[in-house]
């Protein structure tokens, strides 16, 4: 008999922490709020480590039944948890990196007036993300899927009195609903044609079906709809627009949700559904094309951004594109490998950016940084490790996972590989640009003016002269990326220790044998897609990849270290093309003109003027007018004249007598 691991405790512990801080945190001191948040998130991580210690002895996949849920005829969905190698890896990433970010948040958010609310939301997010990962069926996964969307909305719009933060939260919520609609339709198709939403039953029924090499059949339709859901959650073209705006949330939110966990949910879902995609090559091709284009498109935008968090945001979109490229060429284990290494180095980059923002009093504009190496040495060295990792330099973690993706893409389609290689060059360039602008040269913070980005929005979310930010209502919100006083200074140990741990993982994470570990999950699908290994060719491609990354670093060195006047000259020379890239290709403006504005105006004309005013208000108002006229007519009957009253009584009596006579005759 299989041992019951009590997997349900892993997600329920963060939920308890969220409830305690949410309900009672206002009365608690900040140390108590911190203790509650850390205890329950840390306990979840400890339980995952306990499961890991017993993992090798478990028969896989391991199911744990919790309760009956939905039953209608032969259709049944239970609350149950599913554990295999993919689940185990995701659990370690979510709870491990999540716990480090909780620790970091203590220092980063300490001055915020809603400190307890932040940690309540953070624990709530972990509950939903763990529910998503541990789900034993698609419906339970969908609950976690929607839950992380809710938690993301709450955390992005955490400073809800700030208009831009509130708008960013709404944008993330609405854009994700578009993708979620596709996910939901896919579930309906599964119920109709497979009669189940349980992973094992669905995959068992898909297995014997023929591969849909021609046309768009059932499995292709399901795969495309699942991909639509993944595009929303994992910020792929065309639904990526919410993630850059989500940088309005606190920086730890960016690290946890928009680098390490939530945005990878789409990659996890596609990988979990690999049996469906393996039978739908058309859907798999769409995944590869969207991922490849997203990797390239977002990287081009990243090279022109000046807000340090916006650079990392578009970098996240681009790296997610690499993961989808891997899934699209059926290299699922390579995609999950990059998911793990990305959680290390991108989580570190966001937390490091938060430490930089903390050091300079809240400024996020890299044009007013520079020379920070001597002020914040720990942040400098840890971000250096992360920069080399994301650039794909040996022996850092990103080298192994990104090169594995490029190698597998080369085997399937040389075009994917070429675009991915050029995107790697752009990645090395814009990340080195960030590094040089932030840490080298002289500190330019004393030149700081309220900088405007190409869209006209202030990029200095920062601060008044005291390092305190203010929301749109003029309230102090000390936690809003604005902590500094005077010269730049290093962050406290509670923030730097997580940086050092993530830096270590970013250095050695590439040596973790993830693909071998995941082999039992993806063996069938990947075996069909992989050609005979050519180690000589693979090594040659690695040399090319590292050389291209080195070229990107060298170009950034020339432009932002040796010839600092050149970038502006190049921008001026490129003219409207540079402005187009700096404005993110005007995609938000195009969406606003083609979709948002017509919907708003249409709802105004049809729903407000037509339905609300023309039907609902008209019915209510006309009823009121009719009642007024009737009461006015009845009012004239009450004249106070006795002869008038006698006349009305006589008239009424005559009507009654006439009615009685008519009834008698009719009988």
């Amino acid at each position: 008999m299989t041992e019951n691991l009590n997997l349900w405790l892993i997600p329920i512990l963060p939920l308890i922490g969220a409830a305690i801080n949410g309900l009672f945190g206002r009365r608690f001191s900040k140390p108590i709020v911190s203790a509650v948040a850390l205890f329950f998130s840390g306990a979840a991580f400890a339980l995952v480590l306990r499961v890991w210690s017993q993992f090798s002895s478990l028969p896989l996949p391991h199911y744990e039944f919790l309760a009956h849920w939905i039953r209608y005829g032969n259709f049944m969905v239970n609350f149950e948890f599913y554990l295999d190698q993919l689940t185990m890896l995701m659990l370690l990433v979510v709870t491990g990196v999540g716990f480090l970010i909780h620790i970091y948040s203590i220092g980063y958010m300490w001055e915020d007036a809603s400190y307890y609310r932040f940690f309540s939301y953070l624990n709530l997010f972990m509950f939903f993300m763990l529910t998503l990962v541990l789900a034993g069926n698609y419906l339970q996964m969908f609950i976690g899927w929607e839950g992380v969307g809710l938690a993301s909305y709450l955390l992005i719009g955490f400073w809800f009195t700030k208009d831009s933060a509130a708008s960013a939260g709404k944008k993330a919520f609405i854009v994700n609903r578009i993708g979620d609609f596709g996910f939901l339709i896919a579930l309906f198709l599964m119920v109709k044609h497979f009669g189940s939403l349980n992973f094992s039953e669905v995959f068992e029924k898909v297995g014997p079906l023929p591969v849909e090499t021609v046309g768009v059949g059932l499995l292709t339709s399901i795969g495309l709809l699942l991909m639509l859901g993944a595009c929303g959650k994992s910020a792929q073209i065309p639904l990526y627009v919410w993630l850059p705006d989500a940088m309005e949330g606190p920086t730890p939110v960016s690290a946890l949700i928009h680098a390490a966990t939530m945005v990878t949910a789409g990659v996890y879902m596609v990988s979990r559904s690999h049996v469906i995609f393996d039978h739908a090559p058309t859907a798999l091709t769409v995944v590869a094309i969207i991922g490849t284009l997203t990797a390239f498109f977002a990287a081009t935008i990243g090279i022109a951004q000046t807000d340090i968090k916006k650079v990392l945001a578009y970098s996240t979109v681009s790296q997610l594109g690499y993961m989808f490229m891997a899934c699209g060429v059926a290299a699922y284990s390579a995609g999950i490998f990059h998911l793990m290494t990305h959680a290390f180095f991108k989580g570190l980059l966001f937390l490091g950016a938060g430490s930089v923002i903390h050091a300079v009093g809240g400024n996020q504009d890299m044009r007013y940084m520079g020379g920070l190496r001597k002020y914040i040495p720990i942040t400098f060295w840890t971000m250096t490790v992360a920069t080399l990792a994301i650039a794909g330099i040996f022996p850092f973690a990103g080298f192994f996972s990104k090169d594995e993706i490029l190698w597998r893409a080369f085997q399937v389609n040389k075009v994917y590989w070429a675009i991915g290689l050029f995107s790697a060059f752009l990645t090395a360039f814009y990340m080195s640009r960030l590094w040089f602008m932030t840490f080298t040269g002289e500190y330019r913070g004393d030149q700081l003016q309220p900088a405007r980005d190409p869209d006209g929005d202030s990029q200095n979310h920062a601060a008044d002269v005291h390092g305190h930010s203010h929301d749109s209502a003029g309230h102090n919100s000390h936690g809003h990326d604005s902590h500094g006083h005077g010269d730049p200074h290093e962050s406290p140990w509670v923030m730097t220790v997580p940086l050092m741990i993530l830096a270590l993982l970013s250095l050695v994470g590439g040596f973790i044998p993830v693909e071998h570990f995941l082999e039992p999950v993806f063996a069938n699908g990947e075996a069909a897609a992989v050609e005979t290994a050519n180690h000589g060719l693979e090594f040659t491609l690695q040399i090319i990849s590292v050389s291209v990354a080195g070229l990107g670093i060298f170009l950034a060195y020339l432009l932002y270290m040796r010839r600092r006047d050149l970038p502006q000259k190049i921008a001026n020379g490129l003219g409207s093309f540079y402005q187009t890239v700096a404005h993110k290709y005007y995609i938000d403006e195009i969406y606003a003109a083609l979709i948002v504005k017509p919907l708003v105006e249409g709802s105004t004309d049809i729903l407000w003027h037509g339905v609300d005013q023309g039907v609902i208000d008209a019915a209510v108002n006309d009823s009121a007018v009719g009642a007024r006229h009737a009461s006015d007519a009845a009012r004239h009957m009450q004249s106070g004249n006795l002869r008038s009253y006698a006349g009305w009584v006589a008239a009424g009596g005559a009507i009654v007598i006439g009615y009685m006579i008519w009834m008698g005759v009719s009988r």
Side-chain angles (χ1 to χ4, degrees):
M1 182 176 177
T2 303
E3 180 184 356
N4 193 320
L5 299 174
N6 293 316
L7 295 176
W8 63 275
L9 284 172
I10 296 174
I12 210 68
L13 284 168
L15 180 62
I16 294 172
I20 292 174
N21 274 333
L23 294 173
F24 310 109
R26 186 186 294 271
R27 305 189 193 98
F28 293 163
S29 65
K30 288 182 178 178
I32 294 178
V33 170
S34 306
V36 169
L38 288 185
F39 174 78
F40 287 101
S41 59
F45 180 48
L47 281 177
V48 169
L49 293 177
R50 174 179 170 272
V51 172
W52 170 247
S53 69
Q54 304 174 31
F55 188 75
S56 60
S57 62
L58 293 174
L60 299 174
H62 172 79
Y63 277 91
E64 283 193 10
F65 172 81
L66 188 62
H68 293 295
W69 185 12
I70 299 173
R71 178 175 294 178
Y72 181 78
N74 294 326
F75 176 73
M76 183 171 63
V77 178
N78 297 323
F79 273 113
E80 59 186 1
F81 295 98
Y82 181 91
L83 181 67
D84 65 358
Q85 290 85 352
L86 178 57
T87 310
M88 190 72 250
L89 184 64
M90 292 296 295
L91 287 175
L92 288 168
V93 171
V94 173
T95 57
V97 177
F99 182 58
L100 290 176
I101 294 172
H102 273 70
I103 296 173
Y104 176 94
S105 299
I106 293 174
Y108 195 86
M109 298 298 295
W110 187 261
E111 296 181 10
D112 195 275
S114 297
Y115 186 79
Y116 75 95
R117 183 165 58 89
F118 177 81
F119 278 102
S120 178
Y121 292 168
L122 216 58
N123 277 182
L124 182 66
F125 168 80
M126 285 196 66
F127 162 71
F128 282 122
M129 189 66 198
L130 292 169
T131 298
L132 187 159
V133 169
L134 279 166
N137 56 72
Y138 278 104
L139 190 57
Q140 200 171 327
M141 176 190 281
F142 189 72
I143 291 178
W145 188 273
E146 292 295 285
V148 293
L150 169 65
S152 177
Y153 164 76
L154 295 172
L155 286 165
I156 294 169
F158 180 74
W159 289 298
F160 55 84
T161 56
K162 187 170 180 280
D163 289 341
S164 57
S167 297
K170 288 185 288 186
K171 185 175 183 179
F173 194 81
I174 292 170
V175 172
N176 272 274
R177 298 291 75 70
I178 298 171
D180 296 350
F181 177 76
F183 192 178
L184 200 56
I185 299 300
L187 300 192
F188 292 156
L189 288 175
M190 291 183 198
V191 172
K192 177 176 175 59
H193 293 279
F194 304 138
S196 176
L197 290 174
N198 295 326
F199 294 145
S200 58
E201 294 180 23
V202 170
F203 300 155
E204 183 179 345
K205 293 181 179 180
V206 170
L209 296 178
V211 176
E212 296 178 350
T213 56
V214 180
V216 179
L218 171 64
L219 298 181
T220 301
S221 299
I222 292 175
L224 291 174
L225 289 166
L226 290 176
M227 181 56 193
L228 178 59
C231 281
K233 199 66 71 184
S234 292
Q236 298 295 286
I237 292 174
L239 301 180
Y240 72 92
V241 291
W242 66 270
L243 193 145
D245 287 12
M247 297 303 107
E248 289 289 343
T251 301
V253 173
S254 303
L256 178 63
I257 294 182
H258 308 124
T261 53
M262 189 195 92
V263 292
T264 60
V267 181
Y268 168 76
M269 185 262 282
V270 171
S271 299
R272 174 62 72 199
S273 308
H274 71 94
V275 176
I276 295 173
F277 284 94
D278 291 338
H279 284 72
T282 301
L284 213 54
T285 300
V286 171
V287 173
I289 292 172
I290 289 179
T292 303
L293 292 178
T294 301
F296 169 73
F297 180 78
T300 62
I301 298 177
I303 64 177
Q305 301 304 304
T306 55
D307 183 312
I308 189 171
K309 288 178 67 177
K310 286 290 180 69
V311 175
L312 296 178
Y314 282 104
S315 172
T316 298
V317 176
S318 181
Q319 296 304 306
L320 289 167
Y322 274 104
M323 298 175 207
F324 276 95
M325 183 199 300
C327 292
V329 297
Y332 306 104
S333 56
I336 297 298
F337 187 19
H338 197 57
L339 181 156
M340 182 196 74
T341 60
H342 181 262
F344 299 155
F345 60 69
K346 185 53 68 61
L348 172 55
L349 284 168
F350 269 114
L351 295 185
S355 183
V356 169
I357 295 167
H358 176 280
V360 298
N363 171 43
Q364 294 180 201
D365 193 329
M366 297 184 299
R367 293 171 297 183
Y368 298 99
M369 295 180 183
L372 294 179
R373 173 181 178 177
K374 61 183 179 182
Y375 296 106
I376 48 175
I378 297 176
T379 302
F380 164 73
W381 284 111
T382 54
M383 284 195 73
T384 300
V385 170
T387 301
L388 294 172
I390 194 174
I393 302 300
F394 180 85
F396 299 91
F399 163 81
F400 296 93
S401 56
K402 186 181 292 186
D403 272 37
E404 181 63 22
I405 292 173
L406 292 175
W407 164 238
R408 299 293 290 275
F410 183 87
Q411 293 176 293
V412 174
N413 190 310
K414 306 299 188 294
V415 175
Y416 299 157
W417 172 80
I419 297 176
L421 185 67
F422 186 64
S423 301
F425 163 75
L426 294 176
T427 300
F429 172 75
Y430 67 67
M431 287 307 306
S432 300
R433 170 179 176 266
L434 180 151
W435 188 87
F436 284 117
M437 291 181 70
T438 303
F439 294 110
T440 65
E442 297 298 324
Y443 180 55
R444 301 180 294 275
D446 53 358
Q447 307 170 23
L448 181 61
Q449 299 294 329
R452 315 297 293 186
D453 70 10
D455 294 321
D457 299 324
S458 174
Q459 290 200 33
N460 177 21
H461 297 295
D464 56 24
V465 293
H466 301 293
H468 301 144
S469 66
H470 301 274
D471 58 36
S472 57
H475 302 129
N476 271 335
S477 54
H478 303 285
H480 187 178
D481 295 351
S482 52
H483 304 263
H485 297 270
D487 289 337
H489 57 282
E490 186 61 272
S491 300
W493 69 267
V494 75
M495 294 170 64
T496 55
V497 168
L499 296 182
M500 290 185 281
I501 295 173
L502 287 172
L504 178 62
L505 292 172
S506 299
L507 177 60
V508 304
F511 295 98
I512 300 173
V514 171
E515 292 180 277
H516 176 72
F517 178 68
L518 294 174
E519 187 176 340
V521 179
F522 303 123
N524 294 332
E526 293 194 333
V530 178
E531 299 176 4
T532 303
N534 184 333
H535 297 295
L537 177 60
E538 183 178 5
F539 181 73
T540 300
L541 294 178
Q542 288 178 340
I543 295 297
I544 293 173
S545 176
V546 173
S547 300
V548 165
L551 180 61
I553 295 172
F554 179 69
L555 181 60
Y557 168 77
L558 288 180
L559 294 177
Y560 296 96
M561 187 69 180
R562 302 295 297 175
R563 293 291 306 277
R564 296 178 184 271
D565 58 315
L566 277 181
Q568 188 60 49
K569 291 180 180 178
I570 294 173
N572 294 337
L574 293 174
S576 59
F577 176 74
Y578 175 81
Q579 290 302 318
T580 300
V581 176
H583 281 84
K584 307 118 183 173
Y585 297 101
Y586 298 100
I587 298 297
D588 284 305
E589 290 82 357
I590 293 172
Y591 282 4
L594 297 181
I595 301 174
V596 178
K597 187 177 179 181
L599 283 175
V600 171
E601 292 181 350
S603 63
T604 299
D605 294 336
I606 298 173
L607 295 179
W608 183 30
H609 293 305
V611 178
D612 192 35
Q613 289 186 329
V615 178
I616 300 174
D617 286 354
V620 174
N621 293 337
D622 289 348
S623 298
V625 170
R628 186 182 66 190
H629 289 319
S631 63
D632 186 61
R635 179 175 60 83
H636 291 294
M637 297 172 60
Q638 307 298 322
S639 63
N641 189 313
L642 291 177
R643 285 181 296 177
S644 176
Y645 291 163
W648 283 112
V649 170
I655 292 172
V656 172
I657 292 170
Y659 173 76
M660 294 176 67
I661 293 173
W662 178 77
M663 289 294 292
V665 172
S666 64
R667 289 176 182 175

